Amino acid sequence: MAEEGDVVSKTFRALVERADRKFARVRDFPSYGRAQGQHYFQKVFKAYMRLWKYQQEHRTELVKAGLNRWEIGEIAGRIGQLYFGQYTRTSEARFLVEAYVFYEAILKRRYFEGCKVKDLGVRFKELRFYARFLLVSLILNRTQTVKVVVAKLKALVDDCNANFRETNFKEWKLVVQEIVRFMNADTTFTIASARPFRYSAIFDCHPNSVQYVARFHAKKVLKFRDAILMSYHRNEVKFAELTLDAYRMLQCLEWESSGSFYPKHLAETKENGVVVDYSGTSGLIDMKLVADMTDPTLPPNPRKAILYRPSVTHLIAVSFIKPV
């Protein structure tokens, strides 16, 4: 049994290293690249799909061998990061939703919380997870989730300051200040009855006309396919590199889904053998599953490149990228 556990652990570590190497190749690809390096992304998704399934199938052995819950959270976070990267390149909402599903799973299962690890590296992983989850939740207009994650981020920054006094967390304090300022300025948070800017075929046109939207866009008419969103103002309200005005323009250039975008809830076995159904958790990394979340009643979103104070050469480079 010990030898079998060693084999499982070594195989898992090998899969992690392989997936990490592939992830490093695509991590720094520009978000406006579209088809650039698409074959690399397919390889990365395949590597993480294999890794995710392997840790599910051998969870008991891996836990006995010393697998930490935060390591599972890190894998899920990488998958969410990959999906969000695909969203920024394609503007397809199905990728954004799948990123949210994985991040929500990390939060609900508390992969980082409760591990009681006095490891600065693990704390930074948790901080980055909250920051990425906030960005995805903002774009999806999940205001309640944003409020929950902001509270957790504040508490974590305070905890890090108390336990790692030799480390400066000034940048993360600024992140908290940015998101709080963003929430105070955005009407979605300050006005309870405010509707999001995202265009909804259900609310913004007669329900009987929804079925004709896709048909209209299928005709050879002028289409809005690409947009560059950027800003140069000083002291703007922003979170990360997403300014409030770019955020609102982004919302205006996307469709609100008129159907169900969420996959079926999947069950996972806990370490003690009890099966629990985790709400909103994706247990698969399967492009076919994501394809099933496409809303057939709506045309595709226009592709968007969001640039924060770009240089002239950067702007020109983005402007001349050819569509796929």
Side-chain angles (χ1 to χ4, degrees), residues 179-256:
I179 188 60
V180 171
R181 186 184 179 200
F182 195 104
M183 293 169 63
N184 291 335
D186 185 24
T187 55
T188 306
F189 293 94
T190 57
I191 303 177
S193 60
R195 279 195 48 217
F197 286 93
R198 186 181 279 114
Y199 186 88
S200 173
I202 292 180
F203 294 108
D204 297 326
C205 64
H206 194 276
N208 292 334
S209 65
V210 174
Q211 58 182 321
Y212 298 105
V213 174
R215 186 185 305 176
F216 172 79
H217 281 260
K219 296 180 180 179
K220 298 297 181 180
V221 296
L222 185 63
K223 299 179 181 179
F224 188 12
R225 298 186 59 183
D226 300 271
I228 299 177
L229 311 179
M230 60 182 178
S231 183
Y232 280 94
H233 295 292
R234 293 183 178 181
N235 301 321
E236 286 186 285
V237 175
K238 69 179 186 69
F239 177 64
E241 294 189 351
L242 180 65
T243 61
L244 183 59
D245 53 356
Y247 165 75
R248 288 173 173 170
M249 287 187 285
L250 173 70
Q251 296 285 302
C252 290
L253 296 178
E254 295 206 342
W255 296 88
E256 185 75 42

Coordinates of all heavy atoms in Angstrom, one line a residue, residues 179-256:
I179 N -10.8 48.5 -4.8 CA -12.1 47.8 -5.0 C -13.2 48.5 -4.2 O -14.3 48.6 -4.6 CB -12.0 46.3 -4.7 CG1 -13.3 45.6 -5.0 CG2 -11.7 46.1 -3.2 CD1 -13.7 45.7 -6.5
V180 N -12.9 49.0 -3.0 CA -13.9 49.8 -2.2 C -14.3 51.0 -2.9 O -15.5 51.4 -3.0 CB -13.3 50.1 -0.8 CG1 -14.3 51.0 0.0 CG2 -13.1 48.8 0.0
R181 N -13.3 51.7 -3.4 CA -13.6 53.0 -4.2 C -14.5 52.7 -5.4 O -15.4 53.4 -5.8 CB -12.3 53.7 -4.6 CG -12.5 55.0 -5.2 CD -11.2 55.6 -5.7 NE -11.3 56.9 -6.3 CZ -10.4 57.4 -7.1 NH1 -9.3 56.8 -7.4 NH2 -10.6 58.6 -7.7
F182 N -14.1 51.6 -6.1 CA -14.9 51.2 -7.3 C -16.3 50.9 -6.9 O -17.3 51.3 -7.6 CB -14.2 49.9 -7.9 CG -14.7 49.6 -9.3 CD1 -13.8 49.9 -10.3 CD2 -15.9 49.0 -9.5 CE1 -14.2 49.6 -11.6 CE2 -16.3 48.7 -10.8 CZ -15.4 49.0 -11.9
M183 N -16.5 50.1 -5.8 CA -17.9 49.8 -5.4 C -18.7 51.0 -5.0 O -19.9 51.1 -5.3 CB -17.8 48.8 -4.2 CG -17.3 47.5 -4.5 SD -16.9 46.5 -3.1 CE -18.5 46.3 -2.3
N184 N -18.0 52.0 -4.4 CA -18.7 53.2 -3.9 C -19.1 54.1 -5.1 O -20.1 54.8 -5.1 CB -17.8 54.0 -3.0 CG -17.6 53.4 -1.7 OD1 -18.5 52.6 -1.2 ND2 -16.5 53.7 -1.0
A185 N -18.4 54.0 -6.2 CA -18.7 54.8 -7.4 C -19.6 54.1 -8.4 O -20.3 54.8 -9.1 CB -17.4 55.1 -8.2
D186 N -19.7 52.8 -8.4 CA -20.5 52.1 -9.3 C -22.0 52.0 -8.8 O -22.3 51.6 -7.7 CB -20.0 50.6 -9.5 CG -20.8 49.9 -10.6 OD1 -21.4 50.5 -11.4 OD2 -20.8 48.6 -10.5
T187 N -22.9 52.4 -9.7 CA -24.3 52.5 -9.3 C -24.9 51.1 -8.9 O -25.9 51.0 -8.2 CB -25.2 53.1 -10.4 OG1 -24.9 52.3 -11.6 CG2 -24.8 54.5 -10.6
T188 N -24.3 50.0 -9.5 CA -24.8 48.7 -9.2 C -24.7 48.4 -7.7 O -25.5 47.7 -7.1 CB -24.0 47.6 -9.9 OG1 -24.0 48.0 -11.3 CG2 -24.5 46.2 -9.8
F189 N -23.7 49.0 -7.0 CA -23.5 48.8 -5.6 C -24.3 49.8 -4.8 O -24.7 49.5 -3.7 CB -22.1 48.8 -5.2 CG -21.3 47.6 -5.8 CD1 -20.6 47.7 -7.0 CD2 -21.2 46.4 -5.2 CE1 -19.9 46.7 -7.6 CE2 -20.5 45.3 -5.7 CZ -19.9 45.5 -6.9
T190 N -24.3 51.1 -5.3 CA -24.9 52.2 -4.5 C -26.4 52.3 -4.6 O -27.0 52.9 -3.7 CB -24.2 53.5 -4.9 OG1 -24.3 53.7 -6.3 CG2 -22.7 53.4 -4.5
I191 N -26.9 51.9 -5.7 CA -28.4 52.0 -6.0 C -29.0 50.6 -6.1 O -28.7 49.9 -7.1 CB -28.7 52.9 -7.2 CG1 -28.0 54.2 -7.1 CG2 -30.2 53.0 -7.4 CD1 -28.2 55.1 -8.3
A192 N -29.8 50.2 -5.2 CA -30.3 48.8 -5.2 C -31.1 48.5 -6.4 O -31.1 47.4 -6.9 CB -31.2 48.6 -3.9
S193 N -31.9 49.5 -6.9 CA -32.7 49.2 -8.1 C -32.0 49.4 -9.4 O -32.6 49.3 -10.5 CB -33.9 50.2 -8.0 OG -33.5 51.5 -8.1
A194 N -30.7 49.7 -9.4 CA -30.0 50.0 -10.6 C -29.8 48.7 -11.4 O -29.5 47.7 -10.9 CB -28.7 50.6 -10.4
R195 N -30.1 48.8 -12.7 CA -29.9 47.7 -13.6 C -28.5 47.7 -14.2 O -27.9 48.8 -14.4 CB -30.9 47.7 -14.8 CG -32.3 47.2 -14.4 CD -33.1 46.9 -15.7 NE -32.3 46.1 -16.6 CZ -32.3 46.3 -17.9 NH1 -33.1 47.2 -18.4 NH2 -31.6 45.5 -18.7
P196 N -27.9 46.5 -14.4 CA -26.6 46.5 -15.0 C -26.6 47.1 -16.4 O -27.7 47.1 -17.1 CB -26.2 45.0 -15.0 CG -27.5 44.3 -14.9 CD -28.4 45.2 -14.1
F197 N -25.4 47.4 -16.9 CA -25.3 48.0 -18.3 C -25.4 47.0 -19.4 O -25.7 47.3 -20.5 CB -24.0 48.8 -18.4 CG -24.0 50.1 -17.7 CD1 -23.5 50.2 -16.4 CD2 -24.5 51.2 -18.3 CE1 -23.5 51.4 -15.8 CE2 -24.5 52.5 -17.6 CZ -24.0 52.5 -16.4
R198 N -25.2 45.7 -19.0 CA -25.2 44.7 -20.1 C -26.5 44.6 -20.7 O -27.6 44.6 -20.1 CB -24.8 43.3 -19.4 CG -24.6 42.2 -20.5 CD -24.3 40.9 -19.8 NE -22.8 40.8 -19.5 CZ -22.3 40.8 -18.3 NH1 -23.2 40.8 -17.3 NH2 -21.1 40.7 -18.1
Y199 N -26.5 44.5 -22.0 CA -27.8 44.5 -22.8 C -28.5 43.2 -22.6 O -28.0 42.1 -22.8 CB -27.5 44.7 -24.3 CG -28.8 44.9 -25.1 CD1 -29.3 46.1 -25.3 CD2 -29.4 43.8 -25.7 CE1 -30.5 46.3 -26.1 CE2 -30.5 43.9 -26.5 CZ -31.1 45.1 -26.6 OH -32.2 45.3 -27.4
S200 N -29.8 43.2 -22.3 CA -30.6 42.1 -22.1 C -31.7 42.0 -23.1 O -32.5 42.9 -23.2 CB -31.2 42.1 -20.7 OG -32.1 41.0 -20.5
A201 N -31.8 40.9 -23.9 CA -32.8 40.8 -24.9 C -34.2 40.6 -24.2 O -35.2 40.9 -24.8 CB -32.5 39.6 -25.8
I202 N -34.2 40.2 -23.0 CA -35.5 40.0 -22.3 C -36.1 41.3 -21.8 O -37.3 41.5 -22.0 CB -35.3 39.0 -21.1 CG1 -34.9 37.6 -21.6 CG2 -36.6 39.0 -20.3 CD1 -34.7 36.6 -20.5
F203 N -35.2 42.1 -21.3 CA -35.7 43.4 -20.7 C -35.7 44.6 -21.7 O -36.6 45.5 -21.6 CB -34.9 43.8 -19.5 CG -35.0 42.8 -18.3 CD1 -34.0 42.0 -18.0 CD2 -36.2 42.8 -17.6 CE1 -34.1 41.1 -16.9 CE2 -36.3 41.9 -16.5 CZ -35.3 41.0 -16.2
D204 N -34.8 44.5 -22.7 CA -34.7 45.7 -23.5 C -35.4 45.5 -24.9 O -35.3 46.4 -25.7 CB -33.2 45.9 -23.8 CG -32.5 46.3 -22.5 OD1 -33.1 46.9 -21.6 OD2 -31.3 45.9 -22.3
C205 N -36.1 44.5 -25.1 CA -36.9 44.4 -26.3 C -38.0 43.4 -26.0 O -38.0 42.7 -25.0 CB -36.1 43.8 -27.5 SG -35.4 42.2 -27.3
H206 N -39.0 43.4 -26.9 CA -40.2 42.6 -26.6 C -39.8 41.1 -26.6 O -39.0 40.7 -27.5 CB -41.3 42.8 -27.7 CG -42.6 42.3 -27.3 ND1 -43.0 40.9 -27.5 CD2 -43.7 42.8 -26.7 CE1 -44.2 40.7 -27.1 NE2 -44.7 41.9 -26.6
P207 N -40.3 40.3 -25.7 CA -39.9 38.9 -25.6 C -40.1 38.1 -26.9 O -39.3 37.2 -27.2 CB -40.8 38.3 -24.5 CG -41.1 39.5 -23.6 CD -41.2 40.7 -24.6
N208 N -41.1 38.5 -27.7 CA -41.4 37.8 -28.9 C -40.4 38.0 -30.0 O -40.3 37.3 -31.0 CB -42.8 38.2 -29.4 CG -43.9 37.7 -28.5 OD1 -43.8 36.7 -27.8 ND2 -45.1 38.3 -28.6
S209 N -39.6 39.1 -29.8 CA -38.6 39.4 -30.8 C -37.2 38.7 -30.5 O -36.3 38.8 -31.4 CB -38.4 40.9 -30.9 OG -37.8 41.4 -29.7
V210 N -37.1 38.1 -29.4 CA -35.8 37.5 -29.0 C -35.3 36.4 -30.1 O -34.2 36.4 -30.4 CB -35.9 36.8 -27.6 CG1 -34.6 36.0 -27.3 CG2 -36.2 37.8 -26.6
Q211 N -36.3 35.6 -30.6 CA -35.9 34.6 -31.5 C -35.4 35.2 -32.8 O -34.7 34.4 -33.6 CB -37.1 33.7 -31.7 CG -38.3 34.4 -32.3 CD -39.5 33.5 -32.5 OE1 -39.4 32.4 -32.9 NE2 -40.7 34.0 -32.1
Y212 N -35.7 36.4 -33.1 CA -35.2 37.0 -34.4 C -33.9 37.7 -34.3 O -33.3 38.1 -35.3 CB -36.3 38.0 -34.8 CG -37.6 37.4 -35.1 CD1 -38.7 37.6 -34.2 CD2 -37.9 36.6 -36.2 CE1 -39.9 37.0 -34.5 CE2 -39.1 36.0 -36.5 CZ -40.1 36.2 -35.6 OH -41.3 35.7 -35.8
V213 N -33.4 37.9 -33.0 CA -32.1 38.6 -32.9 C -31.0 37.8 -33.6 O -30.2 38.4 -34.3 CB -31.8 38.7 -31.4 CG1 -30.4 39.3 -31.2 CG2 -32.8 39.6 -30.7
A214 N -30.9 36.5 -33.3 CA -29.8 35.8 -34.0 C -30.0 35.7 -35.5 O -29.0 35.8 -36.2 CB -29.8 34.3 -33.4
R215 N -31.2 35.7 -35.9 CA -31.5 35.6 -37.4 C -31.1 36.9 -38.0 O -30.5 36.9 -39.1 CB -33.0 35.4 -37.6 CG -33.4 35.2 -39.1 CD -34.9 35.0 -39.3 NE -35.4 34.0 -38.4 CZ -36.7 33.7 -38.3 NH1 -37.6 34.5 -39.0 NH2 -37.1 32.8 -37.6
F216 N -31.3 38.0 -37.4 CA -30.9 39.3 -37.9 C -29.4 39.4 -38.1 O -28.9 39.9 -39.1 CB -31.4 40.5 -37.0 CG -30.9 41.8 -37.3 CD1 -31.4 42.5 -38.4 CD2 -29.8 42.4 -36.6 CE1 -31.0 43.8 -38.7 CE2 -29.3 43.6 -36.9 CZ -29.9 44.3 -38.0
H217 N -28.7 38.9 -37.1 CA -27.2 39.0 -37.1 C -26.6 38.0 -38.1 O -25.5 38.1 -38.4 CB -26.7 38.8 -35.7 CG -26.7 40.0 -34.8 ND1 -25.6 40.8 -34.7 CD2 -27.7 40.6 -34.2 CE1 -26.0 41.8 -33.9 NE2 -27.3 41.7 -33.5
A218 N -27.4 37.0 -38.5 CA -26.9 36.0 -39.4 C -26.9 36.6 -40.8 O -26.2 36.1 -41.7 CB -27.8 34.8 -39.4
K219 N -27.7 37.6 -41.1 CA -27.7 38.2 -42.4 C -26.4 39.0 -42.6 O -25.7 39.4 -41.7 CB -28.9 39.2 -42.5 CG -30.3 38.4 -42.4 CD -31.4 39.4 -42.6 CE -32.7 38.7 -42.5 NZ -33.9 39.6 -42.6
K220 N -26.2 39.3 -43.9 CA -25.0 40.1 -44.3 C -25.2 41.6 -44.1 O -25.4 42.4 -45.0 CB -24.6 39.8 -45.7 CG -24.3 38.4 -46.0 CD -23.0 37.9 -45.3 CE -22.7 36.5 -45.6 NZ -21.5 36.0 -44.8
V221 N -25.3 42.0 -42.8 CA -25.4 43.4 -42.5 C -24.2 43.8 -41.7 O -23.4 43.0 -41.3 CB -26.7 43.6 -41.6 CG1 -28.0 43.2 -42.4 CG2 -26.6 42.8 -40.3
L222 N -24.1 45.2 -41.5 CA -23.0 45.7 -40.8 C -23.0 45.2 -39.4 O -24.0 45.3 -38.7 CB -23.0 47.2 -40.9 CG -21.9 48.0 -40.2 CD1 -20.6 47.7 -41.0 CD2 -22.1 49.5 -40.2
K223 N -21.9 44.7 -38.9 CA -21.8 44.1 -37.6 C -20.7 44.8 -36.8 O -19.6 45.2 -37.3 CB -21.5 42.6 -37.7 CG -22.6 41.8 -38.4 CD -22.2 40.3 -38.4 CE -23.3 39.5 -39.2 NZ -22.9 38.1 -39.2
F224 N -20.9 44.9 -35.5 CA -19.9 45.5 -34.6 C -19.2 44.3 -34.0 O -19.6 43.6 -33.1 CB -20.6 46.2 -33.5 CG -19.7 47.0 -32.6 CD1 -18.4 47.2 -32.9 CD2 -20.2 47.6 -31.4 CE1 -17.5 47.9 -32.1 CE2 -19.3 48.3 -30.5 CZ -18.0 48.4 -30.9
R225 N -18.0 44.0 -34.5 CA -17.2 42.8 -34.2 C -16.1 43.1 -33.2 O -15.6 42.2 -32.5 CB -16.8 42.1 -35.4 CG -17.9 41.7 -36.4 CD -17.3 40.9 -37.5 NE -16.6 39.7 -37.0 CZ -15.9 38.9 -37.9 NH1 -15.9 39.1 -39.2 NH2 -15.3 37.8 -37.4
D226 N -15.5 44.3 -33.3 CA -14.3 44.5 -32.5 C -14.3 45.9 -31.8 O -14.9 46.8 -32.4 CB -13.0 44.4 -33.4 CG -12.9 43.1 -34.0 OD1 -12.2 42.2 -33.4 OD2 -13.4 42.9 -35.1
A227 N -13.7 46.0 -30.7 CA -13.6 47.3 -30.0 C -12.4 47.3 -29.1 O -11.9 46.3 -28.6 CB -14.9 47.4 -29.1
I228 N -11.8 48.5 -29.0 CA -10.7 48.8 -28.2 C -11.1 49.8 -27.1 O -11.5 50.9 -27.4 CB -9.5 49.4 -29.0 CG1 -9.0 48.4 -30.0 CG2 -8.3 49.7 -28.0 CD1 -7.9 48.9 -30.9
L229 N -11.1 49.4 -25.9 CA -11.5 50.2 -24.7 C -10.2 50.6 -24.0 O -9.5 49.8 -23.5 CB -12.4 49.4 -23.8 CG -13.6 48.7 -24.5 CD1 -14.4 48.0 -23.5 CD2 -14.4 49.7 -25.3
M230 N -10.1 51.9 -23.8 CA -8.9 52.4 -23.1 C -9.2 53.8 -22.4 O -10.2 54.4 -22.7 CB -7.7 52.6 -24.1 CG -8.0 53.5 -25.2 SD -6.6 53.6 -26.3 CE -7.2 54.8 -27.5
S231 N -8.3 54.2 -21.6 CA -8.5 55.4 -20.9 C -7.2 56.0 -20.5 O -6.2 55.3 -20.2 CB -9.4 55.2 -19.6 OG -9.6 56.4 -19.0
Y232 N -7.1 57.4 -20.4 CA -5.9 58.0 -20.1 C -6.0 59.0 -18.9 O -5.0 59.7 -18.5 CB -5.4 58.8 -21.3 CG -4.7 58.0 -22.3 CD1 -5.3 57.5 -23.4 CD2 -3.3 57.7 -22.2 CE1 -4.7 56.7 -24.4 CE2 -2.6 57.0 -23.2 CZ -3.3 56.5 -24.2 OH -2.7 55.7 -25.2
H233 N -7.2 59.1 -18.3 CA -7.4 60.1 -17.3 C -6.6 59.8 -16.0 O -6.3 58.6 -15.7 CB -8.9 60.2 -16.9 CG -9.7 60.7 -18.0 ND1 -9.7 62.0 -18.5 CD2 -10.7 60.1 -18.7 CE1 -10.5 62.1 -19.4 NE2 -11.1 61.0 -19.6
R234 N -6.2 60.8 -15.3 CA -5.4 60.6 -14.1 C -6.4 60.3 -12.9 O -7.5 60.8 -12.9 CB -4.6 61.8 -13.8 CG -3.4 62.0 -14.7 CD -2.6 63.2 -14.3 NE -1.4 63.4 -15.2 CZ -0.5 64.4 -15.1 NH1 -0.6 65.2 -14.0 NH2 0.5 64.5 -15.9
N235 N -5.9 59.6 -11.9 CA -6.7 59.3 -10.7 C -8.0 58.7 -11.0 O -9.0 59.1 -10.3 CB -6.8 60.6 -9.9 CG -5.4 61.1 -9.5 OD1 -4.5 60.4 -9.2 ND2 -5.3 62.5 -9.6
E236 N -8.1 57.9 -12.0 CA -9.4 57.3 -12.3 C -9.8 56.2 -11.2 O -9.0 55.6 -10.6 CB -9.3 56.6 -13.7 CG -9.3 57.5 -14.8 CD -9.4 56.8 -16.1 OE1 -8.4 56.2 -16.5 OE2 -10.5 56.8 -16.7
V237 N -11.1 56.1 -11.1 CA -11.7 55.0 -10.3 C -11.4 53.7 -11.1 O -11.9 53.6 -12.3 CB -13.2 55.2 -10.1 CG1 -13.7 53.9 -9.3 CG2 -13.4 56.4 -9.3
K238 N -10.7 52.8 -10.5 CA -10.4 51.5 -11.3 C -10.1 50.4 -10.3 O -9.9 50.6 -9.1 CB -9.1 51.8 -12.1 CG -7.8 51.9 -11.3 CD -6.6 52.1 -12.3 CE -5.3 52.1 -11.5 NZ -5.0 50.8 -10.9
F239 N -10.1 49.2 -10.8 CA -9.7 48.0 -10.1 C -8.8 47.3 -11.0 O -9.1 46.9 -12.1 CB -10.9 47.1 -9.7 CG -10.5 45.9 -9.0 CD1 -9.8 46.0 -7.7 CD2 -10.7 44.6 -9.5 CE1 -9.4 44.8 -7.1 CE2 -10.3 43.5 -8.9 CZ -9.6 43.6 -7.7
A240 N -7.6 47.0 -10.5 CA -6.5 46.5 -11.3 C -6.3 47.4 -12.5 O -6.0 48.6 -12.3 CB -6.8 45.1 -11.8
E241 N -6.4 46.9 -13.7 CA -6.3 47.8 -14.9 C -7.7 48.1 -15.6 O -7.7 48.5 -16.7 CB -5.3 47.2 -15.9 CG -3.9 47.2 -15.4 CD -2.9 46.8 -16.4 OE1 -3.3 46.4 -17.5 OE2 -1.7 46.9 -16.2
L242 N -8.7 47.8 -14.9 CA -10.1 48.0 -15.4 C -10.6 49.2 -14.8 O -11.0 49.3 -13.6 CB -11.0 46.8 -15.0 CG -12.4 46.9 -15.5 CD1 -12.5 46.9 -17.1 CD2 -13.2 45.7 -15.0
T243 N -10.7 50.3 -15.6 CA -11.2 51.6 -15.1 C -12.7 51.5 -15.1 O -13.3 50.7 -15.8 CB -10.8 52.7 -15.9 OG1 -11.2 52.6 -17.3 CG2 -9.2 52.8 -15.9
L244 N -13.4 52.4 -14.3 CA -14.8 52.4 -14.2 C -15.5 52.7 -15.6 O -16.5 52.0 -15.9 CB -15.3 53.4 -13.2 CG -16.8 53.5 -12.9 CD1 -17.3 52.1 -12.4 CD2 -17.1 54.6 -11.9
D245 N -14.9 53.6 -16.4 CA -15.5 53.9 -17.7 C -15.4 52.7 -18.6 O -16.3 52.4 -19.4 CB -15.0 55.2 -18.3 CG -13.5 55.2 -18.3 OD1 -12.8 54.3 -17.8 OD2 -12.9 56.2 -18.9
A246 N -14.2 52.1 -18.6 CA -13.9 50.9 -19.5 C -14.9 49.8 -19.1 O -15.4 49.0 -19.9 CB -12.5 50.5 -19.4
Y247 N -15.1 49.6 -17.7 CA -15.9 48.6 -17.2 C -17.4 48.8 -17.7 O -18.0 47.8 -18.2 CB -15.9 48.6 -15.7 CG -17.0 47.9 -15.0 CD1 -17.0 46.5 -15.0 CD2 -18.1 48.5 -14.4 CE1 -18.0 45.8 -14.3 CE2 -19.1 47.8 -13.8 CZ -19.0 46.5 -13.7 OH -20.0 45.8 -13.1
R248 N -17.8 50.0 -17.7 CA -19.2 50.3 -18.2 C -19.3 50.1 -19.7 O -20.4 49.6 -20.2 CB -19.6 51.7 -17.8 CG -19.8 51.9 -16.3 CD -20.1 53.3 -15.8 NE -20.5 53.3 -14.4 CZ -20.6 54.5 -13.7 NH1 -20.2 55.6 -14.3 NH2 -20.9 54.4 -12.5
M249 N -18.3 50.5 -20.4 CA -18.4 50.3 -21.9 C -18.3 48.8 -22.2 O -19.0 48.3 -23.1 CB -17.2 51.0 -22.5 CG -17.3 52.5 -22.6 SD -16.0 53.3 -23.6 CE -14.6 53.1 -22.4
L250 N -17.5 48.0 -21.4 CA -17.5 46.6 -21.6 C -18.8 46.0 -21.3 O -19.3 45.1 -22.1 CB -16.5 46.0 -20.5 CG -16.4 44.5 -20.4 CD1 -15.8 43.9 -21.7 CD2 -15.6 44.1 -19.2
Q251 N -19.5 46.4 -20.3 CA -20.9 45.9 -20.0 C -21.8 46.2 -21.2 O -22.7 45.4 -21.5 CB -21.4 46.5 -18.7 CG -20.6 46.1 -17.5 CD -20.9 44.7 -17.0 OE1 -22.0 44.3 -16.8 NE2 -19.8 43.9 -17.0
C252 N -21.7 47.4 -21.7 CA -22.6 47.8 -22.8 C -22.4 47.0 -24.1 O -23.3 47.0 -24.9 CB -22.5 49.3 -23.1 SG -23.1 50.4 -21.8
L253 N -21.3 46.4 -24.2 CA -21.0 45.7 -25.5 C -21.1 44.2 -25.3 O -20.6 43.4 -26.1 CB -19.5 46.0 -25.9 CG -19.3 47.5 -26.3 CD1 -17.8 47.7 -26.6 CD2 -20.2 47.9 -27.4
E254 N -21.9 43.8 -24.3 CA -22.1 42.3 -24.1 C -23.6 42.0 -23.9 O -24.3 42.9 -23.4 CB -21.3 41.8 -22.9 CG -19.8 41.9 -23.1 CD -19.1 40.9 -22.2 OE1 -19.6 40.4 -21.3 OE2 -17.9 40.6 -22.5
W255 N -24.0 40.8 -24.3 CA -25.3 40.4 -24.1 C -25.5 39.7 -22.7 O -24.6 39.0 -22.3 CB -25.7 39.4 -25.2 CG -25.7 39.9 -26.6 CD1 -24.7 40.0 -27.4 CD2 -26.8 40.5 -27.3 NE1 -25.0 40.6 -28.6 CE2 -26.4 40.9 -28.5 CE3 -28.2 40.7 -26.9 CZ2 -27.2 41.5 -29.5 CZ3 -29.0 41.3 -27.9 CH2 -28.5 41.7 -29.1
E256 N -26.7 39.9 -22.2 CA -27.0 39.2 -20.9 C -27.7 37.9 -21.4 O -28.6 37.9 -22.2 CB -28.0 40.0 -20.1 CG -28.4 39.4 -18.8 CD -27.2 39.5 -17.8 OE1 -26.6 40.6 -17.7 OE2 -26.9 38.5 -17.1

